[in-house]
Amino acid sequence: MSTIKLERKHLEKYAEVEKWLTGKSTGTKTNYLSALKAFIEYTKQNPTELIDLVEADRKKPVRQQGEVEVKLKGFFEWLTTEYIQKSRGVVRKRKKIEKVGISRSLAVAYSYGIKSFFVSNGFPLNIKLPKATSKKENFKLALRPPEIKKLIDVAGNIRDRAVILCLFQSGMSISDLCNLDYGDVEKELNGNKIPLHLHLIRKKELVEYDTFFGQEAVETLKLYLGERRHKGEKIGYNTPLFTKRYIKRNSKSSKIYRINSGLIETTMKTLALKSGLVSEEQMENADLNPCRPHALRSSFISILKTNGMNNMAVEYLAGHSLSSTEGAYWQVRTEELRKLYKKFMKYISLSPQLDSEKLELLEYE
């Protein structure tokens, strides 16, 4: 088996890789393995040979060390000029010419991933990696309710509408949404609580926080779950809240797969183009979709701050780490936070005028 064709299932069997990935989130593992596959293709060496290489290098006189650092610098240059990233469908054909090289930002991420591979195996690298530079083409849309409505209007199914509304009206990260189970919303959903409270822990940063789904997110989520049940799915406490596909009626072999960030990213790209919020030319020239899921999170934060919500409260609702000083003084009960969210919910509602009477009633519940 050629080392340049190692697949993920083969890479994970290496002890060096297992040590590196232990404790990492699913998303981080996927990104790291993509970086390692590229590095293997570049160096023509498998994970064990790479660690053997750096170990032998460190036994040389100090002035002769640095072979791995040189390879990593060359790797970065190769990524941006020659690498064809087939695994994620980056290769595009136009007039029978293949696009080679990946964006500088992704090349930086891959390089840092490889650096962490060596660090995890006991060999810190003495190298300063390039930084990802911002491009004007990589702007992020400042989404507001009218733009969100455009995305909703062109969404082909109730799941995608629910995903967009839940992300926009909670400010949670895409990974936190993907990790939600039905049990996270069951009690308040059955109790018809609006806004719906969520107590979460951001796995990557290990930050504990609370946030909410607004009225429209809750209503759309109920429709989505109802549709799944109508198709024959039995939804239990540990069932993924959002799935890749529905279960087939009268099919014992059909499986339910948890939705992932890649699918949501792809969906947002499709809807951004379909809605006209992003032109094909803008999308082609950008490394990142201007209407990517993180734009929903950023807009949630921006809208609440712009309309006067306490800065610390906004940061807490978004799951950001509070400073040691802020954290020491930040003590709020769920119902106090729910009341605060209700006060500002109209600003992230798609139909604030139509919902005004409902919102007034909620103040007295």
Side-chain angles (χ1 to χ4, degrees):
M1 179 174 57
S2 173
T3 57
I4 65 171
K5 293 184 179 180
L6 286 171
E7 299 298 331
R8 173 171 177 160
K9 62 182 180 180
H10 297 130
L11 284 176
E12 291 181 296
K13 293 180 180 180
Y14 284 86
E16 296 84 0
V17 175
E18 184 180 2
K19 185 188 296 185
W20 178 39
L21 299 180
T22 299
K24 301 295 189 300
S25 68
T26 301
T28 298
K29 286 181 180 179
T30 299
N31 292 333
Y32 275 8
L33 286 170
S34 295
L36 185 57
K37 284 177 66 176
F39 195 59
I40 288 171
E41 182 178 338
Y42 174 71
T43 62
K44 307 294 190 298
Q45 293 172 301
N46 65 38
T48 299
E49 291 170 339
L50 289 170
I51 298 303
D52 289 342
L53 176 68
V54 70
E55 186 172 26
D57 183 74
R58 295 304 186 256
K59 294 178 180 179
K60 297 177 182 178
V62 175
R63 289 186 179 183
Q64 296 177 22
Q65 293 179 13
E67 183 178 356
V68 178
E69 284 84 353
V70 171
K71 282 185 180 291
L72 192 51
K73 287 181 180 179
F75 175 61
F76 178 83
E77 181 70 21
W78 176 78
L79 285 172
T80 57
T81 58
E82 299 181 44
Y83 180 50
I84 300 177
Q85 190 190 28
K86 298 178 181 178
S87 60
R88 292 189 179 182
V90 173
V91 178
R92 302 171 184 170
K93 289 188 177 180
R94 176 177 289 182
K95 296 180 181 179
K96 298 182 179 180
I97 298 177
E98 287 189 337
K99 182 178 179 180
V100 297
I102 59 177
S103 68
R104 182 182 175 89
S105 59
L106 186 55
V108 169
Y110 274 23
S111 298
Y112 273 99
I114 297 305
K115 185 176 181 180
S116 75
F117 168 71
F118 288 105
V119 171
S120 296
N121 282 279
F123 296 98
L125 300 186
N126 183 25
I127 184 174
K128 186 175 182 180
L129 294 172
K131 293 183 179 180
T133 56
S134 298
K135 291 171 57 178
K136 65 179 181 179
E137 293 86 355
N138 288 337
F139 72 97
K140 189 161 47 181
L141 284 178
L143 299 170
R144 295 297 181 263
E147 288 77 37
I148 301 300
K149 189 174 186 307
K150 287 184 178 181
L151 292 171
I152 296 296
D153 287 344
V154 298
N157 58 66
I158 191 67
R159 182 202 64 190
D160 293 344
R161 295 195 285 274
V163 165
I164 292 170
L165 285 167
C166 286
L167 284 172
F168 176 63
Q169 294 189 337
S170 70
M172 69 172 59
S173 68
I174 185 173
S175 59
D176 285 349
L177 184 90
C178 292
N179 288 327
L180 287 176
D181 292 329
Y182 177 68
D184 293 313
V185 302
E186 181 182 34
K187 183 177 179 180
E188 297 226 336
L189 200 64
N190 291 337
N192 294 314
K193 288 282 190 177
I194 296 178
L196 185 150
H197 170 250
L198 294 138
H199 182 73
L200 305 169
I201 298 177
R202 295 197 70 193
K203 290 186 177 181
K204 190 173 182 180
E205 292 82 5
L206 296 179
V207 174
E208 193 171 357
Y209 72 105
D210 299 90
T211 191
F212 298 87
F213 285 157
Q215 177 184 325
E216 291 152 327
V218 172
E219 291 173 351
T220 309
L221 181 61
K222 285 183 176 180
L223 291 174
Y224 167 58
L225 293 171
E227 186 173 286
R228 284 168 60 183
R229 290 190 177 101
H230 179 70
K231 290 179 178 291
E233 182 181 349
K234 293 182 179 179
I235 301 177
Y237 191 86
N238 294 317
T239 302
L241 187 61
F242 293 99
T243 61
K244 286 185 178 181
R245 66 188 181 97
Y246 301 123
I247 192 169
K248 295 180 181 178
R249 272 189 179 180
N250 304 319
S251 175
K252 296 181 180 180
S253 61
S254 190
K255 294 182 180 179
I256 298 299
Y257 296 96
R258 184 181 298 276
I259 200 169
N260 57 43
S261 58
L263 178 56
I264 297 177
E265 294 276 6
T266 301
T267 298
M268 285 294 290
K269 183 175 180 179
T270 300
L271 297 181
L273 290 169
K274 194 174 180 180
S275 66
L277 291 176
V278 181
S279 69
E280 291 188 9
E281 185 178 9
Q282 286 175 321
M283 193 71 78
E284 182 68 25
N285 291 327
D287 296 325
L288 302 170
N289 173 16
C291 192
R292 51 195 178 274
H294 197 271
L296 299 172
R297 177 170 163 80
S298 297
S299 296
F300 169 85
I301 295 170
S302 178
I303 290 171
L304 294 185
K305 287 185 177 181
T306 300
N307 286 284
M309 183 181 279
N310 177 278
N311 184 72
M312 196 184 305
V314 177
E315 294 297 314
Y316 181 75
L317 286 170
H320 287 163
S321 300
L322 301 179
S323 68
S324 57
T325 302
E326 290 174 331
Y329 291 99
W330 177 255
Q331 293 182 341
V332 62
R333 293 182 177 180
T334 299
E335 292 310 311
E336 294 173 338
L337 198 60
R338 194 195 305 270
K339 187 175 181 180
L340 177 64
Y341 182 95
K342 282 181 184 178
K343 181 180 177 180
F344 289 87
M345 193 162 67
K346 59 185 177 182
Y347 298 113
I348 52 176
S349 172
L350 305 195
S351 307
Q353 293 180 343
L354 294 175
D355 294 341
S356 59
E357 292 184 3
K358 292 183 180 180
L359 291 174
E360 289 175 7
L361 290 172
L362 286 172
E363 293 296 330
Y364 297 97
E365 288 186 358

